[in-house]
Amino acid sequence: MNGKNRKSIIASAAAALMLTAGAVSFAVGFFRNAPREDTPIGIEHREAVLPEISAEGLSAEDSSISEKEDTSSRKDESSSPESTSDAENNSRPAYDDNSGASDTSAAVMQTEYSQDDTLPEDSQAPTSTIREAEDVTALAKTTPDGREADREYFTASIADGETVNDSTYFFTVTHLIEDLEAVRCDVEVNGSLFYGFAGRVHLREGENTIRVSCTYKDAENKVYRAFRDYTVYLSSPAAEIVTDLSDCEVYEPGFSFTARCDDGLEVRLNGRLISGKDSFTVTLSEGENMIKLTSGDTFLEFSVTYIPVRTLAIITDLCDCTVYTDSITFSAKAVGGNSPKLSVLVNRKALRGSDTFTAPLNEGDNTIRLLAWDDNDKTEQTEQTFTVTSLYNVDESKLPHLESINLSDDITVKGSAYTLNLEAADCDGVRLWSHNIEVICGNTVPCKWEDSSCTGYILKLHGGENPVTIRLRDNSGRQSEYSYNINCEAAEVGEEIGRIQISVNADLIGLGTLCESGSFPVLEGETGFDTVVRFLEDNGYEVSYRGSVGSRYLARISMAGRFAGGELTDKAKENLAGAGVVPNNSKDDDSLGEFDYAPGSGWMYSRNGKKPAYAMTSAVFADGERIELVFSLDMGNDLGGE
């Protein structure tokens, strides 16, 4: 080939190459600019870290998240809206794995795809952002890791932090934004993810973390994911053990009882495992035996003491009593001897039974006689007799009643003590004394004093409600019961709990009122004696007293020159003469007390116009009371009042 032909071939090849390159360039440009059908790009969902945002929006360095995209998988995805949901169903809701805090605000991620977008040349995934709130006045929601979401997307009926006792936990999820379609709702419990929430989850004992994750899309197929964290505690109820066991004493070695538990039960006698189910029969050792019932962490222990009886005896829970029914049920058993037997007679009639008996009763008194004997030795016998009074048909008008009481229901007092005075009588008006009266305020309250007008008690109170029960029983066995409540305002020792009117009077020797107050404070922790002494000392008097701490009485009060000029009044002389009392010439210008002017003189006190038959140390003065300390010449007989 000559040089001319070689040049021609090269020129032709170059031209062909240029034509080919131009055609390729034209095809690419045409393809890029040619019109096409608007079809949304399919979405491949991946877990993503939520970008940090502030009230103004995304941080500059986190305004986008880039991921390499698998172009081969994109070719197989559907471009229809339904394919978006299908893709969602095969992906795990995206959330920050480090956000397991108890803050229950929702975190939100939104992935946007515009229909006019083309794929970036570097095949990066679409940008993930958080949309700005549509309502700019709405408060931002804070995510568990401190970031803010644009709005609240859902709520759940879970009470964050609550404690439940059922391992199956039901709750509902309510979606809040009408313009968004809820694609799915997934729930994660203690790190385990459950796709497709079915309305209930199962909890483990103790603390449980629940994450609710919801996925939404809008009309443009933009996807939003939101999650919220909760904590719920499971405290399963303790296993219930049902048994007829109790701490008791028995007199035979053979002992039977029942015990059951739906969660399984272990029974041990003195540490030894006992076989059986629901009903058990064991042989006891002499003395104390321990029976322990165990189910899981729950256990019950009982002490059963076996006391061998070697001599003939009757074991019974019957006693002398009053009932308001026409029958009585009791247990009775003959023990000891070689072959013990028992007979029961009710009003001289034999009663059939074995160990447990039900006796019919007549109205009024009934006699029940228990007779035991040794069947091998007829001469060995023992018996017990009881009186049971039946008032099953009693007329209420025949019941004992309260004649008077200084207590009404639901009163409020301040301080830890209340002075209770009452008078009770039977249906015939005959006075009932303290041995026919029972007062209960927390515990049985002992009678503090008793005189011709009333029976008295000091009730010890605590802050809050104090139930008071008063039971009366007449000499025929009829009983009645009264109930009250005292509301107590607790007070510190030395704190004022009320005010009283108080005066000190020496009228019978012509000195009149020595001191008085229309409003003197009573302090918590004081007795009546303490209050009177404090009043006298506040008014400048020195006080002398006699007796023990619990029964002091006022012997003398002193003040320099205060009692000078004291003389018996005509009324005082008349009273003494009428009582056959001879005055003496004992007196002191600086003090006044016992044995002055007459052998029976001394200080007496009255309470609301009545002369108590108890010492001031047994009294606690209440708010509004009127107290008077009076000098008497004849042991109080010359003073007015009851």
Side-chain angles (χ1 to χ4, degrees):
M1 184 178 294
N2 56 29
K4 184 177 180 180
N5 290 336
R6 182 180 297 112
K7 291 181 179 179
S8 175
I9 292 171
I10 292 172
S12 298
L17 180 62
M18 291 179 64
L19 289 172
T20 301
V24 170
S25 176
F26 173 80
V28 170
F30 179 82
F31 178 80
R32 286 189 173 186
N33 294 287
R36 65 193 66 188
E37 182 183 358
D38 290 337
T39 304
I41 301 298
I43 303 172
E44 179 183 2
H45 300 289
R46 296 185 177 89
E47 292 189 1
V49 178
L50 291 177
E52 294 185 6
I53 64 171
S54 63
E56 289 76 21
L58 294 171
S59 301
E61 64 271 22
D62 295 326
S63 61
S64 66
I65 299 176
S66 299
E67 296 181 1
K68 293 296 182 181
E69 190 172 282
D70 186 347
T71 57
S72 63
S73 65
R74 183 182 298 108
K75 292 178 182 179
D76 297 331
E77 290 175 351
S78 170
S79 61
S80 66
E82 289 75 7
S83 66
T84 302
S85 298
D86 293 337
E88 284 293 314
N89 290 333
N90 294 317
S91 65
R92 175 172 173 158
Y95 51 78
D96 183 356
D97 289 335
N98 298 320
S99 63
S102 60
D103 189 323
T104 59
S105 297
V108 179
M109 186 188 82
Q110 171 210 335
T111 305
E112 298 187 22
Y113 298 88
S114 172
Q115 294 178 349
D116 296 329
D117 287 345
T118 60
L119 287 173
E121 293 184 1
D122 58 359
S123 299
Q124 289 182 343
T127 301
S128 296
T129 65
I130 292 183
R131 292 188 62 180
E132 184 177 356
E134 295 181 5
D135 180 5
V136 295
T137 64
L139 296 177
K141 306 296 177 182
T142 303
T143 65
D145 59 0
R147 295 177 298 197
E148 293 178 341
D150 62 333
R151 69 185 105 176
E152 189 173 17
Y153 287 78
F154 68 86
T155 60
S157 63
I158 302 173
D160 187 43
E162 74 171 326
T163 299
V164 299
N165 55 26
D166 191 342
S167 61
T168 302
Y169 185 70
F170 295 86
F171 65 91
T172 59
V173 176
T174 302
H175 305 289
L176 302 177
I177 303 177
E178 295 182 357
D179 294 339
L180 296 181
E181 176 188 351
V183 176
R184 63 185 299 139
C185 179
D186 296 323
V187 174
E188 182 178 329
V189 180
N190 299 320
S192 298
L193 184 64
F194 301 91
Y195 293 105
F197 173 55
R200 65 180 179 180
V201 296
H202 291 281
L203 306 179
R204 67 189 180 193
E205 192 72 18
E207 180 179 342
N208 294 265
T209 58
I210 301 176
R211 170 167 286 185
V212 180
S213 303
C214 294
T215 303
Y216 304 92
K217 69 177 181 179
D218 62 14
E220 299 176 354
N221 282 334
K222 296 173 183 177
V223 177
Y224 307 77
R225 297 188 184 97
F227 69 86
R228 189 181 294 269
D229 289 329
Y230 305 85
T231 302
V232 177
Y233 298 89
L234 173 62
S235 178
S236 299
E240 182 181 10
I241 300 175
V242 180
T243 182
D244 59 358
L245 271 171
S246 63
D247 294 339
C248 60
E249 295 178 350
V250 298
Y251 304 94
E252 293 181 356
F255 183 70
S256 298
F257 60 92
T258 61
R260 63 178 179 82
C261 180
D262 294 339
D263 296 333
L265 184 66
E266 179 185 88
V267 180
R268 291 183 179 271
L269 170 64
N270 300 324
R272 180 170 55 88
L273 187 64
I274 302 300
S275 62
K277 183 178 180 182
D278 297 348
S279 296
F280 302 85
T281 298
V282 297
T283 300
L284 303 175
S285 302
E286 185 173 343
E288 185 179 35
N289 297 262
M290 298 304 300
I291 299 178
K292 185 175 182 179
L293 312 178
T294 305
S295 179
D297 294 332
T298 303
F299 70 91
L300 299 175
E301 278 190 309
F302 301 91
S303 172
V304 180
T305 302
Y306 166 44
I307 304 174
V309 179
R310 296 176 176 84
T311 59
L312 189 64
I314 298 173
I315 306 300
T316 183
D317 59 0
L318 188 60
C319 61
D320 294 335
C321 60
T322 299
V323 298
Y324 294 87
T325 58
D326 59 1
S327 66
I328 185 172
T329 299
F330 59 93
S331 63
K333 189 173 186 179
V335 295
N338 295 314
S339 182
K341 301 293 182 180
L342 177 72
S343 68
V344 178
L345 299 176
V346 180
N347 298 323
R348 299 184 178 182
K349 294 181 179 180
L351 182 66
R352 293 182 179 275
S354 176
D355 296 348
T356 300
F357 301 84
T358 298
L361 301 175
N362 300 323
E363 185 174 359
D365 291 341
N366 297 262
T367 300
I368 300 179
R369 181 186 179 211
L370 308 179
L371 175 63
W373 71 93
D374 189 329
D375 204 29
N376 292 337
D377 183 0
K378 305 296 184 181
T379 62
E380 186 179 0
Q381 294 185 353
T382 185
E383 70 174 87
Q384 297 181 28
T385 302
F386 303 93
T387 299
V388 178
T389 302
S390 174
L391 302 176
Y392 68 90
N393 197 27
V394 67
D395 184 349
E396 288 190 8
S397 64
K398 300 294 185 181
L399 297 178
H401 59 278
L402 289 171
E403 291 278 357
S404 64
I405 187 170
N406 66 333
L407 179 62
S408 57
D409 191 29
D410 244 9
I411 65 169
T412 298
V413 300
K414 188 173 184 180
S416 61
Y418 183 79
T419 302
L420 174 66
N421 292 317
L422 62 87
E423 183 180 0
D426 64 16
C427 61
D428 297 320
V430 177
R431 169 78 181 273
L432 296 180
W433 300 87
S434 57
H435 62 273
N436 294 102
I437 303 171
E438 182 181 17
V439 175
I440 300 172
C441 183
N443 297 304
T444 300
V445 183
C447 175
K448 197 70 173 180
W449 62 83
E450 197 160 35
D451 57 26
S452 60
S453 62
C454 69
T455 304
Y457 304 82
I458 298 293
L459 306 182
K460 299 298 183 181
L461 309 177
H462 59 78
E465 295 186 352
N466 294 262
V468 179
T469 301
I470 300 172
R471 294 176 181 150
L472 309 178
R473 178 187 176 94
D474 65 17
N475 294 326
S476 298
R478 302 183 186 93
Q479 297 184 44
S480 56
E481 184 173 296
Y482 296 81
S483 298
Y484 302 89
N485 180 63
I486 299 177
N487 298 304
C488 172
E489 296 180 7
E492 299 292 333
V493 174
E495 181 180 346
E496 182 180 319
I497 58 174
R499 287 185 171 265
I500 59 174
Q501 299 179 48
I502 184 170
S503 63
V504 180
N505 187 284
D507 282 343
L508 292 176
I509 58 172
L511 296 181
T513 299
L514 302 179
C515 55
E516 64 180 342
S517 173
S519 180
F520 187 74
V522 178
L523 307 182
E524 168 65 14
E526 284 187 332
T527 66
F529 182 84
D530 298 328
T531 304
V532 170
V533 169
R534 183 166 53 85
F535 173 70
L536 288 167
E537 291 176 343
D538 285 357
N539 283 274
Y541 293 92
E542 294 181 9
V543 178
S544 300
Y545 52 83
R546 298 176 65 180
S548 63
V549 174
S551 59
R552 291 175 178 171
Y553 67 94
L554 190 63
R556 183 168 294 274
I557 64 174
S558 304
M559 179 186 289
R562 180 65 179 89
F563 306 99
E567 296 290 345
L568 294 176
T569 64
D570 292 340
K571 180 179 180 181
K573 294 176 182 179
E574 181 181 342
N575 289 337
L576 291 174
V581 176
V582 179
N584 58 38
N585 295 320
S586 175
K587 69 175 194 174
D588 187 342
D589 290 348
D590 299 325
S591 68
L592 182 63
E594 56 183 356
F595 312 126
D596 287 347
Y597 296 95
S601 66
W603 290 101
M604 308 287 293
Y605 83 104
S606 67
R607 188 174 186 178
N608 299 318
K610 295 183 178 181
K611 295 177 292 185
Y614 50 90
M616 286 189 287
T617 52
S618 296
V620 176
F621 298 146
D623 183 58
E625 288 196 292
R626 177 169 49 88
I627 308 300
E628 188 174 15
L629 187 66
V630 182
F631 185 70
S632 169
L633 297 169
D634 184 22
M635 303 181 69
N637 295 317
D638 50 356
L639 303 179
E642 299 179 17

